[in-house]
Amino acid sequence: MTGARRRPTLLAAWCAVLAVLMSSCSSGAESGPSNTSTNKSASQQDSSNQQDSSKPNIVYVLTDDLSSNLVQYMPHVRKMQEEGASLSNFFVTDSLCCPSRSTILTGDFPHNTGVFTNTGDDGGYGAFMKNGNEKRCYAPKMQDAGYRTGFMGKYLNGYQPAEKKNGSKGYVPPGWDEWAVAGNGYPEFDYDLNENGTVRHYGKDPEDYLTDVISDKAGSFIDASAKEQKPFMLQLSPFTPHGPATPAPRDADSYPHLKAPRTEAYDRATEDAPQWQRELAPLTEKEQRKIDQNFAKRVRSVQAIDTMIGRLQEQLKAKGMADNTYFMFSSDNGFHMGEHRLRPGKQTAYDTDIKVPMTVTGPGVPAGTEVDALTQNTDLNPTFLDLAGVTPDADTDGQSFADLLRGKSAEDGREAVLIEHRRSASKKHDPDAGPEKAGNPPTYEAIRTPDELYVEYATGEREYYDLKADPLQLKNTADALSEERREQLHGALARLKACDGAEECKKAAQLDGT
């Protein structure tokens, strides 16, 4: 009795299966051989979601305190240098976190952003907001142009994930589709992350390591952009190698015997140095051991950044998006460790601090090229917009270097770039505040030409270095300058530190002012 009831049920089931199979075959015959999604590889399926190639994607990795001597330990960045263009004369407007990052976001010099330090009335996130800089950021403009925008990692000194605005916590600045930003993320563990307005705490487990968390979120952002078939702009800002330079647990034992580079400038006093350097004693053995230990930690800490870069590049290739993506790597400032007898830090006008790596791969960028034109972090905002097909604002101080990336020569290129630094009045809540006798300079403005560095301090002192004869900037020859040359450099510096807008700043960057 039971068997008699099951037999028609099985027959009906087989008939249903047969009908489905026949329907599938019929559908395949109608659509032709191209309808083979069930046999596609994962990468082929991803390629079907490829965006409109008329608008390129941009991934910008901005590291924190990364000096040029760390790049040799980053194989994926070295590969970028082989496959793309390196801007060999790329400088920051100020070798300090918040002023530099404010410049990157807006394209303006510190004298126009009003952000000169990391804290207080003239610095940090507070000064950034007080001076209306959010309105000048590149993200809203790119969003208006149809881009998905993402920002992950470190924003500006003083910004907190639970930031309150208009009565609600978890403030996300305008222009960002994806926002994953920490406040005190320097330790890499035990931090809060603002995830699109929701604050989430991460602990001390290996999977909470901040750079890896950013990497995972970046991968998800790229996936979502591909599914929406929209071009994207993604800024990734890890906190390393800024101190304490915490490496990922998997990298904690790497490079066990590494020492800091001993260039000719290491533990060597500058001849005719300004007053702020004259009291610097030679490095003690203990200080040198500490420098070596910290340099090794910095190298270990950037391994996770390099891994992230490689991972995202492979993801872009798998999705068929790599050829339409500009991938950029740089730093907000450099870092000195014993040069000029300076204890570890930044903020000086020397190349160890103001000259940072800038490498770009992407469509139309010739492989293995070096761009030696003077470029600066003021140029990033207009370059992002230019690459996206958006006309940069005329009142932006920087100028796009997109054409330089494509192998074109600079027309009416700069003859000088501006560096302006203001000594902070307070060390409170400043992660970059150094010990009293570490060698932190007073307020200054400077210009860097292809072959010269000229500095004017608020104390009235001057520095001048002929970089052809003295590339490590060890002999100050300001007193030997001719009156004519001194006046020319002083005039160019005066024009640059007052300039406003692309045309005016471009003109000011010519030493004769024409």
Side-chain angles (χ1 to χ4, degrees):
M1 194 69 166
T2 303
R5 281 203 289 267
R6 289 174 64 187
R7 194 174 292 219
T9 305
L10 288 172
L11 179 61
W14 278 112
C15 287
V17 171
L18 182 61
V20 172
L21 290 173
M22 291 180 67
S23 173
S24 177
C25 291
S26 174
S27 174
E30 290 174 6
S31 61
S34 63
N35 186 20
T36 57
S37 61
T38 55
N39 295 321
K40 283 184 178 182
S41 67
S43 62
Q44 287 173 317
Q45 290 181 37
D46 287 338
S47 295
S48 67
N49 291 327
Q50 196 172 11
Q51 307 126 312
D52 179 5
S53 61
S54 64
K55 288 183 178 290
N57 310 305
I58 303 172
V59 177
Y60 171 49
V61 179
L62 175 66
T63 56
D64 195 346
D65 284 10
L66 186 139
S67 49
S68 296
N69 55 20
L70 296 183
V71 171
Q72 61 183 308
Y73 302 100
M74 305 179 75
H76 289 107
V77 176
R78 294 203 312 272
K79 189 174 181 182
M80 286 180 64
Q81 293 174 333
E82 295 172 1
E83 296 179 345
S86 296
L87 280 63
S88 58
N89 278 313
F90 186 83
F91 299 90
V92 297
T93 54
D94 187 3
S95 182
L96 187 62
C97 292
C98 206
S100 179
R101 290 166 184 267
S102 299
T103 289
I104 290 167
L105 289 166
T106 64
D108 292 333
F109 286 113
H111 67 257
N112 286 325
T113 65
V115 182
F116 288 97
T117 63
N118 286 338
T119 62
D121 293 338
D122 62 352
Y125 175 68
F128 185 85
M129 295 294 286
K130 179 179 67 176
N131 291 292
N133 289 300
E134 272 192 338
K135 299 176 182 177
R136 303 207 290 271
C137 290
Y138 65 81
K141 300 180 183 67
M142 297 193 74
Q143 206 175 52
D144 290 344
Y147 273 73
R148 288 191 80 238
T149 56
F151 193 109
M152 300 170 186
K154 177 181 176 178
Y155 185 43
L156 297 166
N157 298 74
Y159 172 86
Q160 294 300 324
E163 188 75 26
K164 183 181 288 188
K165 191 170 183 180
N166 300 326
S168 59
K169 291 184 178 180
Y171 174 67
V172 177
W176 301 104
D177 294 296
E178 291 289 334
W179 182 259
V181 173
N184 181 25
Y186 299 103
E188 292 288 324
F189 293 103
D190 197 20
Y191 57 89
D192 290 334
L193 200 64
N194 181 331
E195 299 178 346
N196 298 321
T198 299
V199 180
R200 177 183 172 187
H201 183 74
Y202 287 78
K204 299 180 180 180
D205 294 329
E207 59 268 23
D208 294 325
Y209 186 74
L210 180 53
T211 302
D212 291 346
V213 170
I214 292 171
S215 179
D216 290 341
K217 290 185 177 297
S220 298
F221 175 84
I222 291 173
D223 283 342
S225 300
K227 288 178 182 177
E228 292 189 27
Q229 298 187 16
K230 292 183 69 174
F232 65 82
M233 167 71 211
L234 175 60
Q235 179 168 335
L236 298 172
S237 300
F239 281 75
T240 52
H242 190 291
T246 305
R250 62 182 175 275
D251 300 315
D253 297 324
S254 61
Y255 300 98
H257 306 297
L258 196 63
K259 291 187 176 183
R262 263 58 168 176
T263 68
E264 290 185 26
Y266 183 82
D267 198 23
R268 180 173 168 183
T270 303
E271 294 183 37
D272 296 319
Q275 185 62 43
W276 63 274
Q277 284 188 49
R278 291 177 192 168
E279 296 180 0
L280 293 176
L283 298 169
T284 66
E285 290 186 10
K286 181 179 179 180
E287 287 175 323
Q288 295 195 46
R289 286 196 301 271
K290 188 65 174 178
I291 285 174
D292 289 337
Q293 292 167 2
N294 287 340
F295 182 78
K297 285 183 64 178
R298 284 166 56 79
V299 171
R300 295 178 194 121
S301 73
V302 299
Q303 299 310 301
I305 298 175
D306 196 65
T307 298
M308 175 181 70
I309 289 171
R311 174 186 174 185
L312 296 178
Q313 289 172 332
E314 287 303 313
Q315 182 181 3
L316 291 167
K317 289 178 182 177
K319 290 185 172 296
M321 299 161 66
D323 290 342
N324 193 40
T325 300
Y326 289 98
F327 210 109
M328 304 183 175
F329 172 83
S330 192
S331 178
D332 59 353
N333 49 256
F335 201 77
H336 56 255
M337 299 191 79
E339 294 89 349
H340 305 273
R341 287 187 179 167
L342 299 171
R343 277 57 181 174
K346 47 196 174 185
Q347 306 186 43
T348 79
Y350 301 134
D351 278 4
T352 52
D353 297 5
I354 65 168
K355 191 174 186 179
V356 297
M358 184 70 214
T359 301
V360 184
T361 61
V365 181
T369 56
E370 181 179 308
V371 177
D372 61 4
L374 288 173
T375 48
Q376 198 161 24
N377 58 350
T378 50
D379 303 335
L380 287 168
N381 172 301
T383 299
F384 295 154
L385 296 175
D386 191 5
L387 292 174
V390 180
T391 302
D393 290 343
D395 61 357
T396 301
D397 297 338
Q399 46 192 293
S400 171
F401 55 71
D403 283 345
L404 295 176
L405 295 177
R406 301 181 183 115
K408 298 181 181 179
S409 58
E411 296 181 5
D412 301 322
R414 295 184 178 101
E415 293 180 354
V417 293
L418 171 69
I419 302 95
E420 45 187 0
H421 175 75
R422 185 176 295 180
R423 188 180 179 94
S424 178
S426 172
K427 294 183 179 182
K428 189 177 181 181
H429 305 306
D430 186 353
D432 297 317
E436 284 301 322
K437 295 185 178 181
N440 290 328
T443 297
Y444 67 83
E445 287 91 20
I447 56 173
R448 176 67 156 78
T449 78
D451 302 314
E452 301 163 290
L453 172 64
Y454 174 73
V455 188
E456 293 185 356
Y457 290 97
T459 60
E461 295 178 288
R462 303 287 183 266
E463 280 186 286
Y464 175 82
Y465 299 92
D466 178 349
L467 302 181
K468 286 185 177 179
D470 182 20
L472 295 179
Q473 300 147 346
L474 291 170
K475 186 175 182 179
N476 176 22
T477 58
D479 290 343
L481 278 174
S482 68
E483 187 67 26
E484 180 182 4
R485 187 57 174 167
R486 184 183 298 109
E487 286 302 314
Q488 186 181 43
L489 293 169
H490 173 75
L493 178 56
R495 290 189 298 272
L496 273 169
K497 69 182 185 180
C499 76
D500 187 3
E503 285 303 314
E504 186 177 325
C505 291
K506 182 178 179 180
K507 182 178 179 181
Q510 307 303 311
L511 293 179
D512 59 4
T514 60

